[in-house]
Amino acid sequence: MYYVYILKSQTKDWLYIDYSENLKRRFTEHQKGLSLATKPYRPFNLVFYEAYKAMSDAKRRERYFKTQKGKRTLMLMLKASLT
């Protein structure tokens, strides 16, 4: 399975969107600061994830969430989780 996930920084107003084959391992890496892209924004809450069988589907969904329309969709879907 491939997972599209969204992390929300607990200290700053910042979201991180990505995909991974191993969500638990990847979340742990983000929390430990092993990812340079997310290290300054630690710690995180996992606020959303979706599972896909095909990597291409997960990549497509990740790209969508990174667009303006995708971000608007996320804000509507996760209104309570993101405030």
Side-chain angles (χ1 to χ4, degrees):
M1 296 296 280
Y2 296 88
Y3 301 90
V4 176
Y5 61 94
I6 299 170
L7 303 178
K8 183 179 186 311
S9 173
Q10 293 178 14
T11 58
K12 298 177 179 151
D13 186 23
W14 192 76
L15 294 178
Y16 181 74
I17 302 165
D18 203 1
Y19 77 96
S20 176
E21 191 171 6
N22 187 331
L23 182 58
K24 287 182 183 181
R25 176 188 53 81
R26 193 68 179 127
F27 182 69
T28 301
E29 289 172 357
H30 287 298
Q31 292 290 59
K32 290 182 177 180
L34 300 177
S35 171
L36 293 178
T38 59
K39 188 174 183 176
Y41 303 97
R42 296 179 297 153
F44 296 99
N45 289 325
L46 178 65
V47 292
F48 179 80
Y49 70 91
E50 292 177 337
Y52 296 91
K53 286 186 178 182
M55 183 187 346
S56 60
D57 293 334
K59 280 183 174 182
R60 186 179 314 109
R61 187 66 162 169
E62 176 209 12
R63 281 193 308 268
Y64 170 72
F65 282 146
K66 289 182 176 181
T67 66
Q68 279 302 114
K69 187 175 180 181
K71 288 177 184 172
R72 264 185 265 132
T73 301
L74 283 173
M75 295 304 158
L76 289 172
M77 287 172 39
L78 306 172
K79 196 172 194 174
S81 297
L82 296 177
T83 56

Coordinates of all heavy atoms in Angstrom, one line a residue:
M1 N 0.8 -1.2 0.0 CA 0.0 0.0 0.0 C 0.9 1.3 0.0 O 2.0 1.3 0.6 CB -0.9 0.0 1.2 CG -1.9 -1.1 1.3 SD -3.1 -1.1 0.0 CE -4.2 0.1 0.6
Y2 N 0.4 2.3 -0.6 CA 1.0 3.6 -0.6 C 0.1 4.6 0.1 O -1.1 4.6 -0.1 CB 1.3 4.0 -2.0 CG 2.3 3.1 -2.7 CD1 1.8 2.0 -3.4 CD2 3.6 3.4 -2.7 CE1 2.7 1.1 -4.0 CE2 4.5 2.5 -3.3 CZ 4.1 1.4 -3.9 OH 5.0 0.6 -4.5
Y3 N 0.7 5.5 0.9 CA -0.1 6.4 1.7 C 0.2 7.8 1.3 O 1.4 8.2 1.3 CB 0.2 6.2 3.2 CG -0.1 4.8 3.6 CD1 0.8 3.8 3.6 CD2 -1.4 4.4 4.1 CE1 0.5 2.5 4.0 CE2 -1.7 3.1 4.5 CZ -0.7 2.2 4.4 OH -1.0 0.9 4.8
V4 N -0.8 8.6 1.1 CA -0.7 10.1 1.0 C -1.0 10.6 2.4 O -2.0 10.2 3.0 CB -1.7 10.6 0.0 CG1 -1.6 12.2 0.0 CG2 -1.4 10.1 -1.4
Y5 N -0.1 11.4 2.9 CA -0.4 11.9 4.3 C -0.1 13.4 4.4 O 0.6 14.0 3.6 CB 0.5 11.1 5.3 CG 2.0 11.3 5.0 CD1 2.7 12.2 5.7 CD2 2.7 10.5 4.1 CE1 4.1 12.4 5.5 CE2 4.0 10.6 3.9 CZ 4.7 11.6 4.6 OH 6.1 11.8 4.4
I6 N -0.7 13.9 5.5 CA -0.6 15.3 5.8 C -0.2 15.5 7.2 O -0.8 15.0 8.1 CB -1.8 16.1 5.5 CG1 -2.2 16.0 4.0 CG2 -1.7 17.6 5.8 CD1 -3.5 16.5 3.6
L7 N 1.0 16.2 7.4 CA 1.4 16.5 8.8 C 1.2 18.0 9.1 O 1.4 18.8 8.2 CB 2.9 16.2 8.9 CG 3.4 14.8 8.5 CD1 4.9 14.8 8.6 CD2 2.8 13.8 9.4
K8 N 0.8 18.3 10.3 CA 0.6 19.6 10.7 C 1.6 19.9 11.9 O 1.7 19.1 12.8 CB -0.8 19.9 11.2 CG -1.1 21.3 11.6 CD -2.5 21.5 12.1 CE -2.9 22.9 12.4 NZ -2.0 23.6 13.2
S9 N 2.4 20.9 11.7 CA 3.4 21.3 12.8 C 2.6 21.7 14.0 O 1.6 22.4 14.0 CB 4.2 22.4 12.3 OG 5.1 22.9 13.3
Q10 N 3.1 21.3 15.2 CA 2.5 21.7 16.4 C 3.0 23.1 16.9 O 2.4 23.7 17.8 CB 2.9 20.7 17.5 CG 2.2 19.3 17.3 CD 2.6 18.3 18.4 OE1 3.2 18.6 19.4 NE2 2.4 17.0 18.1
T11 N 4.1 23.5 16.3 CA 4.7 24.8 16.8 C 4.5 26.0 15.8 O 4.6 27.1 16.2 CB 6.2 24.6 17.0 OG1 6.8 24.2 15.8 CG2 6.4 23.7 18.2
K12 N 4.2 25.6 14.5 CA 4.1 26.7 13.5 C 2.9 26.4 12.6 O 2.4 25.3 12.6 CB 5.4 26.7 12.6 CG 6.6 27.1 13.4 CD 7.8 27.1 12.6 CE 9.0 27.5 13.5 NZ 10.2 26.9 13.1
D13 N 2.4 27.4 11.9 CA 1.3 27.2 11.0 C 1.8 26.7 9.7 O 2.1 27.5 8.7 CB 0.6 28.6 10.8 CG -0.7 28.4 10.0 OD1 -1.2 27.3 9.9 OD2 -1.1 29.4 9.4
W14 N 2.0 25.4 9.6 CA 2.7 24.8 8.5 C 2.2 23.3 8.2 O 2.1 22.6 9.2 CB 4.2 24.7 8.7 CG 5.0 24.4 7.6 CD1 5.4 25.2 6.6 CD2 5.7 23.2 7.3 NE1 6.2 24.6 5.7 CE2 6.4 23.3 6.1 CE3 5.8 22.0 8.0 CZ2 7.2 22.3 5.6 CZ3 6.6 21.0 7.5 CH2 7.3 21.1 6.3
L15 N 1.9 23.0 7.0 CA 1.5 21.7 6.6 C 2.5 21.1 5.7 O 3.1 21.7 4.9 CB 0.1 21.7 5.9 CG -1.1 22.2 6.6 CD1 -2.3 22.2 5.7 CD2 -1.4 21.2 7.8
Y16 N 2.6 19.8 5.8 CA 3.5 19.0 4.9 C 2.7 17.9 4.2 O 2.1 17.1 4.9 CB 4.7 18.4 5.7 CG 5.7 17.7 4.9 CD1 6.6 18.3 4.0 CD2 5.7 16.3 4.9 CE1 7.5 17.6 3.3 CE2 6.6 15.6 4.1 CZ 7.5 16.3 3.3 OH 8.4 15.6 2.6
I17 N 2.8 17.8 2.9 CA 2.0 16.8 2.2 C 3.0 15.9 1.4 O 3.9 16.4 0.7 CB 1.1 17.5 1.2 CG1 0.1 18.4 1.9 CG2 0.3 16.4 0.3 CD1 -0.6 19.4 1.0
D18 N 2.9 14.6 1.5 CA 3.8 13.7 0.9 C 3.1 12.3 0.7 O 2.0 12.1 1.2 CB 5.1 13.6 1.7 CG 6.3 13.1 0.8 OD1 6.1 12.9 -0.4 OD2 7.4 13.0 1.4
Y19 N 3.8 11.4 0.2 CA 3.4 10.0 0.1 C 4.5 9.1 0.5 O 5.7 9.4 0.4 CB 2.8 9.7 -1.3 CG 3.8 9.4 -2.3 CD1 4.2 8.1 -2.6 CD2 4.4 10.4 -3.0 CE1 5.2 7.8 -3.6 CE2 5.4 10.2 -4.0 CZ 5.7 8.9 -4.2 OH 6.7 8.6 -5.2
S20 N 4.1 7.9 0.9 CA 5.1 6.9 1.3 C 4.5 5.5 1.3 O 3.3 5.3 1.4 CB 5.6 7.2 2.8 OG 6.5 6.2 3.2
E21 N 5.4 4.5 1.2 CA 5.0 3.1 1.2 C 4.8 2.6 2.6 O 4.1 1.7 2.9 CB 5.9 2.2 0.4 CG 5.4 0.9 0.2 CD 6.3 0.1 -0.8 OE1 7.3 0.5 -1.2 OE2 5.8 -1.1 -1.1
N22 N 5.6 3.3 3.5 CA 5.6 2.9 4.9 C 5.3 4.1 5.8 O 6.2 4.8 6.2 CB 6.9 2.2 5.3 CG 6.9 1.6 6.7 OD1 6.2 2.1 7.6 ND2 7.7 0.6 6.9
L23 N 4.0 4.3 6.1 CA 3.6 5.5 6.8 C 4.2 5.6 8.2 O 4.7 6.7 8.6 CB 2.1 5.6 6.8 CG 1.5 6.8 7.5 CD1 2.0 8.1 6.8 CD2 0.0 6.7 7.5
K24 N 4.2 4.5 8.9 CA 4.7 4.6 10.3 C 6.2 4.9 10.4 O 6.6 5.8 11.2 CB 4.5 3.2 11.0 CG 3.0 2.9 11.4 CD 2.9 1.6 12.1 CE 1.5 1.3 12.4 NZ 1.3 0.1 13.1
R25 N 6.9 4.3 9.5 CA 8.4 4.6 9.5 C 8.6 6.0 9.1 O 9.4 6.8 9.7 CB 9.1 3.7 8.5 CG 10.6 4.0 8.3 CD 11.2 3.2 7.2 NE 10.6 3.2 5.9 CZ 10.7 4.3 5.1 NH1 11.5 5.3 5.4 NH2 10.0 4.3 3.9
R26 N 7.9 6.5 8.1 CA 8.1 7.9 7.6 C 7.7 8.9 8.6 O 8.4 9.9 8.8 CB 7.3 8.1 6.3 CG 7.7 9.3 5.5 CD 9.1 9.2 5.0 NE 9.4 10.4 4.2 CZ 10.5 11.1 4.4 NH1 11.4 10.8 5.3 NH2 10.7 12.2 3.8
F27 N 6.6 8.7 9.3 CA 6.2 9.6 10.4 C 7.2 9.7 11.5 O 7.6 10.7 11.9 CB 4.8 9.2 10.9 CG 4.3 10.1 12.0 CD1 3.9 11.4 11.7 CD2 4.3 9.7 13.3 CE1 3.4 12.2 12.6 CE2 3.8 10.6 14.3 CZ 3.4 11.8 14.0
T28 N 7.8 8.5 11.8 CA 8.9 8.5 12.9 C 10.1 9.3 12.4 O 10.7 10.0 13.2 CB 9.2 7.0 13.2 OG1 8.1 6.3 13.6 CG2 10.3 7.0 14.2
E29 N 10.4 9.1 11.1 CA 11.6 9.9 10.6 C 11.3 11.4 10.7 O 12.2 12.1 11.0 CB 11.8 9.5 9.1 CG 12.4 8.1 9.0 CD 12.5 7.6 7.5 OE1 12.0 8.4 6.6 OE2 13.0 6.5 7.3
H30 N 10.1 11.8 10.3 CA 9.8 13.2 10.4 C 9.9 13.7 11.9 O 10.5 14.8 12.2 CB 8.4 13.5 9.9 CG 8.3 13.4 8.4 ND1 9.0 14.3 7.5 CD2 7.5 12.6 7.6 CE1 8.7 14.0 6.3 NE2 7.8 13.0 6.3
Q31 N 9.4 12.9 12.8 CA 9.4 13.3 14.2 C 10.8 13.4 14.8 O 11.1 14.3 15.6 CB 8.6 12.3 15.1 CG 7.1 12.4 14.8 CD 6.4 13.6 15.3 OE1 6.8 14.7 14.9 NE2 5.5 13.5 16.2
K32 N 11.7 12.5 14.3 CA 13.1 12.5 14.8 C 14.0 13.6 14.1 O 15.1 13.7 14.4 CB 13.7 11.1 14.5 CG 13.1 10.1 15.5 CD 13.8 8.8 15.3 CE 13.3 7.7 16.2 NZ 13.9 6.4 16.0
G33 N 13.4 14.2 13.1 CA 14.2 15.2 12.3 C 15.1 14.7 11.3 O 16.1 15.3 10.9
L34 N 14.8 13.5 10.8 CA 15.7 12.9 9.8 C 15.4 13.4 8.4 O 16.1 13.1 7.4 CB 15.5 11.3 9.8 CG 15.9 10.7 11.2 CD1 15.7 9.2 11.1 CD2 17.4 11.0 11.5
S35 N 14.3 14.1 8.2 CA 14.0 14.8 6.9 C 14.4 16.2 7.0 O 13.8 17.0 7.8 CB 12.5 14.6 6.6 OG 12.1 15.4 5.5
L36 N 15.2 16.7 6.1 CA 15.7 18.1 6.1 C 14.5 19.0 5.8 O 14.5 20.2 6.4 CB 16.8 18.3 5.1 CG 18.1 17.6 5.5 CD1 19.1 17.9 4.4 CD2 18.7 18.1 6.8
A37 N 13.6 18.6 5.0 CA 12.4 19.5 4.7 C 11.5 19.8 5.8 O 10.9 20.9 5.9 CB 11.6 18.8 3.5
T38 N 11.4 18.9 6.8 CA 10.5 19.0 7.9 C 11.2 19.3 9.3 O 10.5 19.7 10.2 CB 9.6 17.8 8.0 OG1 10.4 16.6 8.3 CG2 8.7 17.6 6.8
K39 N 12.5 19.1 9.3 CA 13.2 19.2 10.6 C 12.9 20.5 11.4 O 12.6 20.4 12.6 CB 14.7 19.1 10.4 CG 15.5 19.0 11.6 CD 16.9 18.7 11.3 CE 17.7 18.5 12.6 NZ 19.1 18.2 12.3
P40 N 12.9 21.7 10.8 CA 12.6 22.9 11.6 C 11.2 23.1 12.1 O 10.9 23.9 12.9 CB 13.0 24.0 10.6 CG 13.4 23.4 9.3 CD 13.2 22.0 9.4
Y41 N 10.3 22.2 11.6 CA 8.9 22.4 12.0 C 8.4 21.3 13.0 O 7.2 21.3 13.3 CB 8.0 22.3 10.7 CG 8.4 23.4 9.7 CD1 9.3 23.0 8.7 CD2 8.0 24.7 9.8 CE1 9.7 24.0 7.7 CE2 8.4 25.6 8.9 CZ 9.3 25.3 7.9 OH 9.7 26.2 7.0
R42 N 9.2 20.5 13.5 CA 8.9 19.5 14.5 C 8.3 20.1 15.7 O 8.7 21.2 16.1 CB 10.1 18.6 14.8 CG 10.6 17.8 13.7 CD 11.8 17.0 14.1 NE 12.9 17.9 14.5 CZ 13.8 17.6 15.4 NH1 13.9 16.4 15.9 NH2 14.8 18.4 15.7
P43 N 7.6 19.4 16.5 CA 6.9 18.0 16.3 C 5.6 18.2 15.4 O 5.2 19.3 15.2 CB 6.6 17.6 17.7 CG 6.3 18.8 18.4 CD 7.3 19.9 17.8
F44 N 5.1 17.0 15.0 CA 4.0 17.0 14.1 C 2.8 16.2 14.6 O 3.0 15.3 15.4 CB 4.4 16.4 12.7 CG 5.4 17.1 12.0 CD1 6.7 16.8 12.0 CD2 5.0 18.2 11.2 CE1 7.7 17.5 11.4 CE2 6.0 18.9 10.6 CZ 7.3 18.6 10.6
N45 N 1.6 16.5 14.1 CA 0.5 15.7 14.2 C 0.1 15.2 12.8 O 0.2 15.9 11.9 CB -0.7 16.5 14.7 CG -0.6 16.9 16.2 OD1 0.0 16.2 17.0 ND2 -1.1 18.1 16.5
L46 N -0.2 13.9 12.8 CA -0.7 13.3 11.5 C -2.2 13.6 11.5 O -2.9 13.1 12.3 CB -0.4 11.8 11.5 CG -0.9 11.0 10.3 CD1 -0.2 11.5 9.0 CD2 -0.8 9.6 10.5
V47 N -2.6 14.5 10.5 CA -4.0 14.9 10.5 C -4.8 14.2 9.5 O -6.0 14.3 9.5 CB -4.1 16.5 10.3 CG1 -3.6 17.2 11.6 CG2 -3.4 16.9 9.1
F48 N -4.1 13.6 8.5 CA -4.9 12.9 7.4 C -4.0 12.0 6.7 O -2.8 12.2 6.5 CB -5.3 14.0 6.4 CG -6.1 13.6 5.2 CD1 -7.4 13.2 5.3 CD2 -5.4 13.4 4.0 CE1 -8.1 12.8 4.2 CE2 -6.1 13.0 2.9 CZ -7.5 12.7 3.0
Y49 N -4.6 10.8 6.2 CA -3.9 10.0 5.3 C -4.9 9.2 4.5 O -6.1 9.0 4.9 CB -2.9 9.0 6.0 CG -3.5 7.9 6.8 CD1 -3.8 6.7 6.3 CD2 -3.8 8.2 8.2 CE1 -4.4 5.7 7.1 CE2 -4.4 7.2 9.0 CZ -4.6 6.0 8.4 OH -5.2 5.0 9.2
E50 N -4.5 8.8 3.3 CA -5.3 7.9 2.4 C -4.4 6.8 1.9 O -3.2 7.0 1.7 CB -5.8 8.7 1.2 CG -6.8 9.8 1.5 CD -7.2 10.5 0.2 OE1 -6.5 10.6 -0.7 OE2 -8.3 11.1 0.3
A51 N -5.0 5.6 1.7 CA -4.2 4.5 1.2 C -4.6 4.1 -0.2 O -5.8 4.2 -0.6 CB -4.5 3.3 2.1
Y52 N -3.6 3.8 -1.0 CA -3.7 3.4 -2.4 C -2.9 2.1 -2.7 O -1.8 1.9 -2.1 CB -3.2 4.5 -3.3 CG -4.0 5.8 -3.2 CD1 -3.7 6.8 -2.3 CD2 -5.2 6.0 -4.0 CE1 -4.4 7.9 -2.2 CE2 -5.9 7.1 -3.8 CZ -5.6 8.1 -2.9 OH -6.3 9.2 -2.8
K53 N -3.4 1.3 -3.6 CA -2.7 0.1 -4.0 C -1.6 0.5 -5.0 O -0.5 -0.2 -4.9 CB -3.6 -0.9 -4.7 CG -4.5 -1.6 -3.7 CD -5.3 -2.7 -4.4 CE -6.2 -3.4 -3.4 NZ -6.9 -4.5 -4.0
A54 N -1.8 1.4 -5.8 CA -0.8 1.8 -6.8 C 0.0 3.1 -6.5 O -0.7 4.1 -6.1 CB -1.4 2.0 -8.2
M55 N 1.3 3.1 -6.7 CA 2.1 4.3 -6.4 C 1.6 5.4 -7.3 O 1.6 6.6 -6.8 CB 3.6 4.0 -6.6 CG 4.4 5.2 -6.2 SD 6.2 5.2 -6.6 CE 6.6 3.5 -6.9
S56 N 1.3 5.2 -8.5 CA 0.9 6.2 -9.4 C -0.3 7.0 -8.9 O -0.5 8.2 -9.1 CB 0.7 5.7 -10.8 OG -0.3 4.7 -10.8
D57 N -1.3 6.2 -8.3 CA -2.5 6.9 -7.7 C -2.1 7.8 -6.6 O -2.7 8.9 -6.4 CB -3.5 5.8 -7.3 CG -4.1 5.0 -8.5 OD1 -4.1 5.6 -9.6 OD2 -4.5 3.9 -8.3
A58 N -1.2 7.3 -5.7 CA -0.8 8.1 -4.5 C -0.1 9.3 -5.0 O -0.3 10.4 -4.5 CB 0.1 7.2 -3.6
K59 N 0.8 9.2 -6.0 CA 1.5 10.4 -6.5 C 0.6 11.4 -7.1 O 0.7 12.6 -6.9 CB 2.5 10.0 -7.6 CG 3.8 9.4 -7.1 CD 4.7 9.1 -8.3 CE 6.1 8.7 -7.8 NZ 7.0 8.4 -9.0
R60 N -0.4 10.9 -7.8 CA -1.4 11.8 -8.4 C -2.2 12.6 -7.4 O -2.4 13.8 -7.4 CB -2.4 11.0 -9.3 CG -3.3 11.9 -10.1 CD -4.2 11.1 -11.0 NE -3.6 10.1 -11.8 CZ -3.7 8.8 -11.6 NH1 -4.4 8.3 -10.6 NH2 -3.0 7.9 -12.4
R61 N -2.6 11.9 -6.3 CA -3.3 12.5 -5.2 C -2.5 13.5 -4.5 O -2.9 14.6 -4.1 CB -3.9 11.4 -4.3 CG -4.8 12.0 -3.2 CD -6.1 12.5 -3.8 NE -7.1 12.6 -2.8 CZ -8.2 13.2 -2.9 NH1 -8.6 13.7 -4.0 NH2 -9.1 13.2 -1.9
E62 N -1.2 13.2 -4.2 CA -0.3 14.1 -3.6 C -0.1 15.4 -4.4 O -0.2 16.5 -3.8 CB 1.1 13.4 -3.4 CG 2.1 14.4 -2.8 CD 3.5 14.1 -3.2 OE1 3.7 13.3 -4.2 OE2 4.4 14.7 -2.6
R63 N 0.1 15.2 -5.7 CA 0.2 16.4 -6.6 C -1.0 17.3 -6.5 O -1.0 18.5 -6.5 CB 0.5 16.0 -8.0 CG 2.0 15.6 -8.2 CD 2.3 15.5 -9.7 NE 1.4 14.7 -10.4 CZ 1.6 13.4 -10.7 NH1 2.7 12.8 -10.2 NH2 0.8 12.7 -11.4
Y64 N -2.2 16.6 -6.5 CA -3.5 17.4 -6.4 C -3.5 18.2 -5.1 O -3.9 19.4 -5.1 CB -4.7 16.4 -6.5 CG -6.0 17.1 -6.2 CD1 -6.5 18.1 -7.1 CD2 -6.6 16.9 -5.0 CE1 -7.7 18.7 -6.8 CE2 -7.8 17.6 -4.7 CZ -8.3 18.5 -5.6 OH -9.5 19.1 -5.3
F65 N -3.2 17.6 -4.0 CA -3.3 18.2 -2.7 C -2.3 19.4 -2.6 O -2.5 20.3 -1.8 CB -3.0 17.3 -1.5 CG -4.2 16.4 -1.2 CD1 -4.0 15.1 -0.7 CD2 -5.5 16.9 -1.3 CE1 -5.1 14.3 -0.3 CE2 -6.6 16.1 -0.9 CZ -6.3 14.8 -0.5
K66 N -1.3 19.4 -3.4 CA -0.3 20.5 -3.4 C -0.8 21.7 -4.3 O -0.1 22.7 -4.3 CB 1.1 20.0 -3.8 CG 1.7 19.1 -2.7 CD 3.1 18.7 -3.1 CE 3.7 17.9 -2.0 NZ 5.0 17.4 -2.3
T67 N -1.9 21.5 -5.1 CA -2.4 22.6 -5.9 C -3.3 23.5 -5.0 O -3.7 23.1 -3.9 CB -3.2 22.1 -7.1 OG1 -4.4 21.5 -6.6 CG2 -2.4 21.2 -7.9
Q68 N -3.6 24.7 -5.5 CA -4.5 25.6 -4.8 C -5.8 25.0 -4.6 O -6.4 25.1 -3.5 CB -4.6 26.9 -5.5 CG -3.5 27.9 -5.3 CD -3.3 28.2 -3.9 OE1 -2.3 27.9 -3.3 NE2 -4.2 28.9 -3.3
K69 N -6.4 24.3 -5.6 CA -7.7 23.7 -5.5 C -7.6 22.5 -4.5 O -8.5 22.4 -3.7 CB -8.1 23.2 -6.9 CG -9.5 22.6 -6.8 CD -10.0 22.2 -8.2 CE -11.4 21.7 -8.2 NZ -11.9 21.2 -9.5
G70 N -6.5 21.8 -4.5 CA -6.4 20.7 -3.5 C -6.3 21.2 -2.1 O -6.8 20.6 -1.2
K71 N -5.6 22.3 -1.9 CA -5.4 22.9 -0.6 C -6.8 23.4 -0.1 O -7.1 23.2 1.1 CB -4.4 24.0 -0.6 CG -3.0 23.4 -0.7 CD -2.0 24.5 -0.7 CE -0.6 23.9 -1.0 NZ 0.4 25.0 -1.2
R72 N -7.6 24.0 -1.0 CA -8.9 24.4 -0.6 C -9.8 23.2 -0.2 O -10.5 23.3 0.8 CB -9.6 25.2 -1.7 CG -9.4 26.7 -1.6 CD -10.2 27.4 -2.7 NE -9.2 27.7 -3.7 CZ -9.4 27.5 -5.0 NH1 -10.5 27.0 -5.5 NH2 -8.4 27.7 -5.9
T73 N -9.7 22.2 -1.0 CA -10.4 20.9 -0.6 C -10.0 20.4 0.7 O -10.9 20.1 1.6 CB -10.2 19.8 -1.7 OG1 -10.6 20.3 -3.0 CG2 -10.9 18.6 -1.4
L74 N -8.7 20.4 1.0 CA -8.2 19.9 2.3 C -8.8 20.8 3.5 O -9.2 20.3 4.5 CB -6.7 19.9 2.4 CG -6.0 18.8 1.7 CD1 -4.5 19.0 1.6 CD2 -6.4 17.5 2.3
M75 N -8.8 22.1 3.3 CA -9.2 23.0 4.3 C -10.7 22.8 4.6 O -11.1 22.9 5.7 CB -9.0 24.5 3.9 CG -7.6 24.9 3.7 SD -6.7 24.6 5.2 CE -5.0 24.5 4.6
L76 N -11.5 22.4 3.6 CA -12.9 22.1 3.8 C -13.1 20.8 4.5 O -13.9 20.6 5.4 CB -13.7 22.1 2.5 CG -13.9 23.5 1.8 CD1 -14.5 23.4 0.4 CD2 -14.8 24.4 2.7
M77 N -12.3 19.8 4.0 CA -12.4 18.4 4.6 C -12.0 18.4 6.0 O -12.5 17.6 6.8 CB -11.6 17.5 3.8 CG -12.1 17.1 2.4 SD -10.9 16.1 1.4 CE -10.2 15.0 2.5
L78 N -10.9 19.1 6.3 CA -10.3 19.0 7.6 C -10.4 20.3 8.5 O -9.5 20.6 9.3 CB -8.8 18.7 7.4 CG -8.5 17.5 6.6 CD1 -7.0 17.4 6.3 CD2 -9.0 16.2 7.2
K79 N -11.5 20.9 8.3 CA -11.7 22.2 9.0 C -11.4 22.2 10.5 O -10.7 23.0 11.0 CB -13.1 22.7 8.7 CG -13.4 24.1 9.1 CD -14.7 24.6 8.6 CE -14.9 26.1 8.6 NZ -16.1 26.5 8.0
A80 N -12.0 21.2 11.2 CA -11.8 21.1 12.6 C -10.3 20.6 13.0 O -9.8 21.1 14.0 CB -12.8 20.1 13.2
S81 N -9.8 19.8 12.2 CA -8.4 19.3 12.5 C -7.3 20.3 12.2 O -6.3 20.2 12.8 CB -8.1 18.0 11.6 OG -9.0 17.0 11.9
L82 N -7.6 21.3 11.4 CA -6.6 22.2 11.0 C -6.7 23.5 11.8 O -5.8 24.4 11.6 CB -6.6 22.5 9.5 CG -6.2 21.3 8.6 CD1 -6.4 21.6 7.2 CD2 -4.9 20.8 8.9
T83 N -7.7 23.7 12.7 CA -7.8 24.9 13.4 C -7.3 24.7 14.8 O -7.1 23.7 15.3 CB -9.2 25.4 13.4 OG1 -10.1 24.4 14.0 CG2 -9.7 25.8 12.1

